[in-house]
Amino acid sequence: MIEKSVRELSADLHARRVSSEELTRHFLSRIARHDGRLNSFITVCEEQALAAAREADIRLAEGRAGPLTGIPYAHKDIFCTEGIRTSCASRMLDNFIAPYDATVTEKLRQAGAVMLGKTNMDEFAMGSSNETSYYGPVRNPWDTERVPGGSSGGSAAAVAARLTPLATGTDTGGSIRQPAALTGITGIKPTYGRVSRWGMIAFASSLDQGGAMARSAEDAAYLLAAMAGFDPRDSTCADRPVDDYVAHLEDDLGGLRIGLPKEYFTGDLDARVGACIEAAVKVLEGLGVVFRDIHLPHAHLAVPAYYVVAPAECSSNLSRYDGVRFGYRCENPRDLEDLYKRTRGEGFGAEVKRRIMIGTYALSAGYYDAYYLKAQQVRRLIAADFRNAFEEVDLILGPTTPAPAFRLGEKVDDPVTMYLSDVYTIAVNLAGLPGLSAPCGFIDGLPVGMQLIGNYFEEARLLNVAHRYQQETDWHRRRPPGFD
Amino acid sequence: MEWEAVIGLEIHAQLATKSKIFSGASTAYGAPPNTQACAVDLGLPGVLPVLNREAVRMAVKFGLATNAKINLRSVFARKNYFYPDLPKGYQISQYELPIVYDGWLDIDLEDGRTKRIGITRAHLEEDAGKSLHEDFEDMTGIDLNRAGTPLLEIVSEPDLRSPQEAVAYMKKLHALVRYLGICDGNMQEGSFRCDANVSVRRKGEHRFGTRTEIKNVNSFRFVERALRYEIERQIEVLESGGAVVQETRLYDAARDETRSMRTKEEANDYRYFPDPDLLPLVLDEAFVEEVRRSLPELPDAKRRRFMDEYGLPAYDAGVLTASRELADYYEAVAAACGEPKLAANWVMGEFSAYLNRDGLEVPGAPVPPEALGRLLTRIQDGTISGKIAKEVFEAMWDGEGDPDAIIERRGLKQITDTAAIEAMIREVMAANPKQVEQYRAGKEKLLGFFVGQVMKASKGKANPAEVNRLLKRLLQED
């Protein structure tokens, strides 16, 4: 059951060969059995999941079911879920029971998907290793001494360990693609504006984007199709129809032009990762894809620009956590200033505080032009690089991360090194483009991911290429040892 | 040494939309605390703002009515600061690119001259909630009903030179926003609030002095008093060799003084930056034109028309067009009686006096304009005198109904019957032989005495013109 694709599970559910309740119990029991080693869930919603499964079974029986009806999924704890704690992995929201559903939560419920629980993540999605969570780090199922990546590390680990067929994620600088790469699964961050941000707790509003995480591109296509679409409650959401991702999965790749950015294959890249990408190029060439080298001349500016823009927005977005209306409040505040200082001092972890301080500094009078405004200019240059590239090629391919999963604690005291693990993914967010990571090999038993970058709203193309690649390879079918 | 004040006003006009500027919650005033604050207004995690198009339309209306330019692309920015009644820790406002800029308004000075006051900009923003310090001992209550209410902040150029000019400008704006129907102008409920920037300099000096900002002065009278106090204070400081400190001051109406609230050094760095949750607000010419076509007749145009069409003096036209309601009322009265000047005298006189006495607004007046028009018709056609009309008007105000019914019921119809008046005159002459003799001897100013006696005898109902005419003849005759 755990190796079946969403399409196969859905067929079984529709044919009544299995009930959603059975399927849900099965995954709940896997969570109970295995998650002690991974810590991928913050909250497991057994009761609600079984109720939703029974409801799905009724819909299936009455013929009111879609492809996701009755299929379990895990929800990143950044999406608001009415009546269920939505913590963002922060002490600040440890007591926060959301009074409303995120649009994504609502859409998945309408699709009949069954939420198993809320997954662990870096605090407020700030981190690349899942070590900043108030609920403790998530471990990589391929080696529990290593990180699963972040910030959607809980979702990635849970999918990789087959604790759930599907999981949601969010991606501000690589938070879907990087953990997908480090855990050997498939993750897609769609175009900015494709998935509603309503009810998705903000880190950096102009970069945050929800997306899908699954074992295969095909499964991800089903999940993303249910999440995507216009939402009038999000002013930055794109008002345009959603392509039929599933229908395009089998499209022929003959003559497709894919660019390989010179700047992504330099000395910073682990040569063994480079070799995996080269092998993937060969597979795709066999499918008729034509490769050529391209240039993204401002690629080296992506990380510095990002670490101005994202902290600047976060410093403002996180101001609402002040102990006045909801969330954590310090004990016995003496006065207003004490309330603010201790609530925020005690409620936020170190990485969140670091970014709030960087962002506050970058927006301060006298520094705004030198930092924030300059970073926005760089952002436009980076977007222009991609625009130029897409005049020559249809897609871009490169590594998702410079190296496979690192050890827990290895980079936690060196933020800049940690930030560089997102060196290939960040530019995609700055430009607002869609990006996908799919497994393309192993190094010493650790998964390696390749990243596909498309032009705006080219999600269907990304999923199509990844799916055709996955028909030729079995990297995505490998299961971490010890999670039978 | 002569001093000159330099004043600029920042007016916050609460826009009269049904729902808030970035959420669907109601803007109605006076609901129990926190009952009109939805998830967006509370700044819950994950919520997002969606701009209210009606607020945009109102801002554009204001811009067009003040001869201003409309930015076809304006940007919402976040103004970051911590305060308990500011739920998100930032206020969504407009900073570098406001929706309205570079307009003007003409005000009338006391000496009859007109002065043009520049409007630097007007931008859209959301209001904060309210901190309630009175009702909670050692604690502060937070009411977020007002959070997210749309405001138009209207910033004038430092063109005002006296407290009187400032008040004239403020009143003009107040009338304008109500004309446009974009603000109810209720100052007690805080729908129209004023911050004043003021500095002084020696007459003839071109540079500005150091200014202070007086926060939240919420009546015309207080603006005038606060400015007068602050100007005096600054002059005293300078004349005694001191320097004005740039700071924010609070006006204490009870003590009639301003007090320092915070100095420039203590001021917040608001760290403005474009709000990434909202796209730039892009308008097209067609929309602006559509709004332009929907504009009502504006006060200045209406005033000119009242002068041309009704032949009213400038002063009367100004008083009658001070509010749209009063102007509409006047026009209805004038139409009903066909006598624009008589209508003007009555609307500015009795009608306004009764409104004032009872603290009522035009729409709440108990006498509809058509009824007042009928009353004035009765003066015109000689049924009653102007004096009697005042008695009838009072009865109408007290709810006694139609003027004709009141005249009938109270027997107030004017006596125009020559024989009846003659009879009364003869009685008066008979009772006052000495005065008759004196009149005939040339003391003609005694005529007034006889008129008074006859009117008294008729209980005011005799037609005064007729009484005059007959008296002169009869006194002469015998």
Side-chain angles (χ1 to χ4, degrees), chain A residues 96 99-100 197-199 201 205 232-233 235-236 316-317 319-321 325-326 336 340 344 360 363-365 368 372, chain B residues 40 42-50 78 80 82-84 87-90 144 269 271-274 276-279:
Chain A
F96 179 65
Y100 75 104
R197 293 188 297 115
W198 172 261
I201 298 177
S205 314
R233 290 175 294 192
S235 308
T236 63
S316 174
N317 282 333
S319 293
R320 69 191 60 199
Y321 307 108
R325 298 167 314 285
F326 52 79
L336 185 60
Y340 286 152
R344 292 168 66 79
T360 303
L363 290 175
S364 297
Y368 179 85
Y372 185 79
Chain B
V40 173
L42 294 173
L44 288 185
V47 299
L48 296 169
V50 176
R78 293 184 182 177
N80 295 283
F82 284 98
Y83 205 69
K88 299 185 294 298
Y90 58 84
L144 295 175
D269 175 358
R271 305 189 310 279
Y272 280 100
F273 75 108
D277 287 332
L278 290 161
L279 301 175

Side-chain angles (χ1 to χ4, degrees), chain A residues 325-359:
Chain A
R325 298 167 314 285
F326 52 79
Y328 179 77
R329 174 187 286 190
C330 69
E331 297 276 347
N332 306 314
R334 285 189 310 278
D335 53 29
L336 185 60
E337 190 155 318
D338 187 45
L339 170 75
Y340 286 152
K341 283 184 173 165
R342 282 201 289 129
T343 294
R344 292 168 66 79
E346 295 162 14
F348 289 136
E351 182 62 25
V352 170
K353 281 187 260 192
R354 173 165 28 240
R355 296 198 193 189
I356 289 174
M357 291 180 71
I358 294 171

Side-chain angles (χ1 to χ4, degrees), chain B residues 329 333 351 354-355 360 362 364-373 375 392-399 401 403:
Chain B
Y329 188 93
V333 174
F351 180 73
Y354 276 73
L355 280 183
L360 292 174
V362 175
V367 176
E370 297 73 24
L372 177 53
L375 175 65
V392 178
F393 183 77
E394 187 179 7
M396 288 163 70
W397 193 272
D398 292 340

Side-chain angles (χ1 to χ4, degrees), chain A residues 146-361:
Chain A
R146 289 178 188 267
V147 305
S151 68
S152 310
S155 290
V159 170
R162 276 61 171 167
L163 307 187
T164 177
L166 298 170
T168 61
T170 62
D171 189 317
T172 305
S175 282
I176 286 175
R177 292 158 291 157
Q178 185 253 20
L182 300 194
T183 58
I185 67 162
T186 306
I188 179 165
K189 174 207 102 72
T191 308
Y192 182 79
R194 182 71 291 179
V195 170
S196 169
R197 293 188 297 115
W198 172 261
M200 193 178 102
I201 298 177
F203 157 18
S205 314
S206 74
L207 302 161
D208 296 343
Q209 182 58 207
M213 304 176 85
R215 288 201 309 283
S216 68
E218 184 191 70
D219 287 359
Y222 280 104
L223 179 55
L224 184 61
M227 295 169 73
F230 177 60
D231 178 6
R233 290 175 294 192
D234 174 1
S235 308
T236 63
C237 202
D239 188 2
R240 56 180 279 159
V242 179
D243 292 335
D244 188 339
Y245 304 136
V246 174
H248 286 286
L249 286 172
E250 304 290 339
D251 285 0
D252 186 61
L253 303 188
L256 188 73
R257 301 166 305 165
I258 297 186
L260 299 167
K262 280 296 216 186
E263 293 77 6
Y264 286 13
F265 297 91
T266 62
D268 299 332
L269 181 67
D270 183 327
R272 298 168 300 171
V273 173
C276 290
I277 305 296
E278 275 166 40
V281 168
K282 292 277 177 300
V283 171
L284 288 168
E285 276 175 344
L287 293 168
V289 173
V290 183
F291 284 90
R292 70 167 69 163
D293 288 339
I294 57 159
H295 282 285
L296 298 172
H298 298 95
H300 63 290
L301 296 176
V303 171
Y306 176 88
Y307 277 99
V308 171
V309 173
E313 292 182 10
C314 108
S315 72
S316 174
N317 282 333
L318 271 60
S319 293
R320 69 191 60 199
Y321 307 108
D322 57 5
V324 173
R325 298 167 314 285
F326 52 79
Y328 179 77
R329 174 187 286 190
C330 69
E331 297 276 347
N332 306 314
R334 285 189 310 278
D335 53 29
L336 185 60
E337 190 155 318
D338 187 45
L339 170 75
Y340 286 152
K341 283 184 173 165
R342 282 201 289 129
T343 294
R344 292 168 66 79
E346 295 162 14
F348 289 136
E351 182 62 25
V352 170
K353 281 187 260 192
R354 173 165 28 240
R355 296 198 193 189
I356 289 174
M357 291 180 71
I358 294 171
T360 303
Y361 180 81

Side-chain angles (χ1 to χ4, degrees), chain B residues 49-85:
Chain B
V50 176
L51 179 60
N52 182 336
R53 297 297 295 191
E54 198 50 36
V56 173
R57 175 179 291 273
M58 288 178 173
V60 171
K61 249 186 182 176
F62 176 81
L64 295 175
T66 50
N67 318 288
K69 299 191 176 74
I70 307 297
N71 251 327
L72 294 182
R73 184 178 176 280
S74 61
V75 171
F76 286 97
R78 293 184 182 177
K79 178 180 181 178
N80 295 283
Y81 65 97
F82 284 98
Y83 205 69
D85 59 24

Side-chain angles (χ1 to χ4, degrees), chain A residues 14-30:
Chain A
H14 278 83
R16 318 293 292 146
R17 284 190 291 272
V18 66
S19 70
S20 175
E21 185 172 348
E22 286 169 287
L23 203 55
T24 301
R25 283 189 191 282
H26 181 71
F27 282 104
L28 285 170
S29 75
R30 284 187 64 78

Side-chain angles (χ1 to χ4, degrees), chain B residues 356-393:
Chain B
N356 269 338
R357 187 194 71 183
D358 296 353
L360 292 174
E361 297 289 331
V362 175
V367 176
E370 297 73 24
L372 177 53
R374 276 197 299 280
L375 175 65
L376 302 188
T377 307
R378 293 297 163 260
I379 300 176
Q380 271 319 109
D381 65 17
T383 310
I384 54 173
S385 67
K387 197 169 168 222
I388 291 292
K390 290 184 180 178
E391 185 189 332
V392 178
F393 183 77

